[in-house]
Amino acid sequence: MKVARFHAPGDIRVEDAPEPVAGPGELKIRVRNCSTCGTDVKIFKHGHHHIRPPRVMGHEIAGEVVGTGERVQVIAAIPCGTCEECRRGRRTVCPNQESMGYHYDGGFAEYMVIPAKVRAVDGVNAIPPGVGFAEASVAEPLACVLNGQSLARVGAGDDVVVMGAGPIGCLHVRLARARGAARVFLVDVNAERLAMAADLVRPDAVVDTDAVDQVLKLTGGRGADVVITAAASGAAQEQALRMAARQARISFFGGLPKDAPIIALDSNLVHYRELTIVGANGSSPAHNAEALRLIAEGLVPVADLITHRLPLSQVLDGIDLVSRGAAIKVTIEP
């Protein structure tokens, strides 16, 4: 079979590999779709400390169980299920978490084996009728978005600012609407990408310059109830505090580069405005199941966000499209 393997930074190869065999408790699937994301770009450029090459990449996975034909979606982040955090229901912050495409071969392959530990934490979800494989593969990033918005308590009547108009930002816009937000504003410094995203998700307003001033004008000087930084930008995080309303919630959804993780934070803004700042780290198996339900019920449409469908042989082209911000969602069809 064909696979896309990471060998070193800048070195991903589409090559031949033996078709895998499932062991006890494992599940073999025929991969139908594995979508790409910004993390794949980071791995391609810089590698990852959890990846020991060669490793088959890809963690937004949907396919068919070999032998039964059952259509399934697979989690990316694998909690251990037994540690203190997992026992307390905090599976997104499991200290023993492993990941598909990092610790185990991922979905940029014609066939793959799902480890027994994924099944042990309910990490294989049946795809609902009417949901295609490509849509199901987007359940994984939507699950992460769902986790972030749950922690930030996005709800009815909120003015929500989403900073970053990539695929994650688009999902944030649509989920905020599904959760009852009054208005959703989309911010990005890349005017071309912002226009492309806005054509799809139709935010109430778009902002590409002077973000803080523009958001304050849009909210009558009050600021936003929720600000989500769906970009790896320290500047966006700093701006988020300045555009936040009193008692607002700020989600530092996008992590910062490892060599520049420190920002200037005005503690008095947090203190006097009673702001809440929350992180967001991936998703749990339950978030994946909920994301599939939201897609199936049409509450968060995702099909139109998939702007490019490429064969496995063009996976590097897909990663390049993501890197350049020239696409919303790119899915690979092995």
Side-chain angles (χ1 to χ4, degrees), residues 73-125:
Q73 178 263 348
V74 182
I75 63 171
I78 312 164
C80 72
T82 59
C83 70
E84 184 67 17
E85 303 306 331
C86 285
R87 289 198 301 272
R88 290 174 178 242
R90 302 170 181 166
R91 287 185 164 188
T92 57
V93 290
C94 169
N96 307 314
Q97 178 182 290
E98 296 180 316
S99 299
M100 300 303 299
Y102 295 69
H103 302 84
Y104 305 96
D105 281 343
F108 291 157
E110 293 179 282
Y111 292 90
M112 65 178 294
V113 166
I114 310 304
K117 61 176 59 180
V118 172
R119 302 182 71 188
V121 295
D122 298 319
V124 180
N125 297 297

Side-chain angles (χ1 to χ4, degrees), residues 38 65 71 122 144 170-171 192 198 217 222 224 262 292 294:
V65 177
R71 301 179 334 121
D122 298 319
C144 299
C170 289
L171 290 172
E192 184 176 343
K217 286 178 183 177
R222 178 175 174 270
I262 308 300
L292 273 176
L294 292 169

Side-chain angles (χ1 to χ4, degrees), residues 10-30:
D11 184 7
I12 293 175
R13 307 174 202 169
V14 178
E15 54 194 11
D16 292 316
E19 190 173 313
V21 177
E26 296 179 337
L27 202 63
K28 180 178 175 179
I29 69 169
R30 172 70 172 94

Side-chain angles (χ1 to χ4, degrees), residues 63 71 73 89 100 102 109 115 126 140 151 185 187 210 227 236 250 272 277:
R71 301 179 334 121
Q73 178 263 348
M100 300 303 299
Y102 295 69
E140 192 280 328
L151 290 165
F185 309 129
V187 178
D210 302 320
V227 185
I250 299 162
Y272 288 109
I277 301 172

Side-chain angles (χ1 to χ4, degrees), residues 113-203:
V113 166
I114 310 304
K117 61 176 59 180
V118 172
R119 302 182 71 188
V121 295
D122 298 319
V124 180
N125 297 297
I127 299 174
V131 177
F133 289 112
E135 294 169 272
S137 71
V138 183
E140 192 280 328
L142 178 56
C144 299
V145 167
L146 179 60
N147 178 42
Q149 292 204 16
S150 297
L151 290 165
R153 307 190 312 278
V154 176
D158 284 336
D159 277 340
V160 178
V161 172
V162 177
M163 304 184 76
I168 290 292
C170 289
L171 290 172
H172 270 297
V173 171
R174 286 197 165 155
L175 181 62
R177 286 243 171 82
R179 292 174 69 95
R183 295 184 296 176
V184 187
F185 309 129
L186 186 58
V187 178
D188 203 296
V189 295
N190 183 329
E192 184 176 343
R193 182 168 70 170
L194 181 60
M196 179 169 54
D199 282 344
L200 290 170
V201 298
R202 299 292 178 182

